[in-house]
Amino acid sequence: MEGLTSKRLVVLASGRGSNFAAIADAINSGQIPRAEIVGLISNKKEAPVVELAQSRKIPCAVLESNAFRKEGRFDRSSYEKELLKILRSLNPDLICLAGYLLLLGPDIIQSYPKQIINIHPSLLPLFKGLHAQRQAILDGAKETGCTVHFVTEGLDEGPIILQKRISIFENDSEESLSSRLLPLEHETYIEALKKLCGS
Ligand code: GRF
């Protein structure tokens, strides 16, 4: 019965991995009943997220992006050919970007239409790109939040799935705001996945 099968999630991450861990733990504790993580792919072998996957016995592939850098130039096309091979072998229903610091090119995006999602630490379309929390503070915004959205070819531009907001306090620094926002990111990603996978 197709309606009752689990969605196969593949997570792409480059760093700390708190969103990855939150999703994995939510699935483990039955909060997202129709999802399973079938693999983590990281472009950094030293990234803490790799250990978080290993300790949870989640299959993990490292495709070191630095190995595709020659004379300072990143060979995105060769990198993505390899990435696509790994993705195809995992046969994902959904690809979840969680602190994945590389842009995805059109070949990958077009191979998985409406199947790639991302979390961004702002109320998109505000404050796209890096240091979104710092951008919000510098702009004098009174509130910010996080957004889970579909990934399209424009940076942080695809259709929004879910947003949650928090206040910015007068004495907030980039660090204090980011750490207050992080638990909300986890909550938002989990809720968005429930919505996409069915609960
Ligand atoms: C999060 O702030 C996420 O919104 C952004 O990158 C950060 C990743 O954090 N895209 P983590 O690696 O999931 O802890």
Side-chain angles (χ1 to χ4, degrees):
M1 287 201 294
E2 200 186 308
L4 293 177
T5 56
S6 283
K7 299 267 188 215
R8 297 170 61 84
L9 313 187
V10 170
V11 180
L12 266 61
S14 309
R16 179 177 56 184
S18 73
N19 278 282
F20 164 77
I23 295 166
D25 295 346
I27 291 174
N28 256 341
S29 65
Q31 285 181 68
I32 318 173
R34 306 241 184 118
E36 58 175 322
I37 300 183
V38 295
L40 168 85
I41 305 175
S42 180
N43 65 306
K44 300 246 171 251
K45 61 176 181 299
E46 311 296 349
V49 69
V50 172
E51 265 194 57
L52 294 175
Q54 287 165 345
S55 66
R56 287 167 174 76
K57 312 259 182 282
I58 291 174
C60 184
V62 174
L63 183 62
E64 186 57 69
S65 48
N66 280 337
F68 293 80
R69 258 176 230 289
K70 277 182 206 117
E71 290 154 20
R73 198 185 138 268
F74 179 47
D75 182 356
R76 182 181 308 282
S77 147
S78 305
Y79 173 80
E80 291 202 341
K81 259 188 206 142
E82 294 306 312
L83 181 57
L84 206 46
K85 279 188 206 160
I86 302 175
L87 285 170
R88 290 209 167 112
S89 74
L90 292 167
N91 189 27
D93 295 306
L94 271 180
I95 297 169
C96 305
L97 309 189
Y100 183 65
L101 293 177
L102 294 174
L103 287 176
L104 290 178
D107 283 354
I108 301 233
I109 291 175
Q110 285 161 19
S111 301
Y112 295 99
K114 279 231 158 188
Q115 287 174 280
I116 309 179
I117 64 176
N118 180 43
I119 183 147
H120 183 77
S122 77
L123 295 172
L124 290 173
L126 296 173
F127 313 126
K128 297 173 182 170
L130 291 175
H131 297 291
Q133 301 91 332
R134 187 196 301 171
Q135 292 183 52
I137 291 172
L138 291 177
D139 193 61
K142 296 282 174 258
E143 62 169 13
T144 187
C146 56
T147 304
V148 175
H149 65 98
F150 287 107
V151 172
T152 55
E153 285 172 41
L155 176 69
D156 298 327
E157 268 186 1
I160 290 171
I161 300 162
L162 192 63
Q163 286 188 318
K164 285 187 189 273
R165 45 190 75 224
I166 56 170
S167 299
I168 299 179
F169 303 141
E170 263 177 33
N171 58 356
D172 258 329
S173 61
E174 182 178 9
E175 291 70 31
S176 66
L177 179 58
S178 303
S179 60
R180 228 174 43 257
L181 185 54
L182 199 58
L184 194 72
E185 290 192 30
H186 302 162
E187 207 182 296
T188 309
Y189 221 149
I190 291 165
E191 211 173 303
L193 284 168
K194 272 192 204 162
K195 195 167 151 177
L196 293 171
C197 299
S199 45

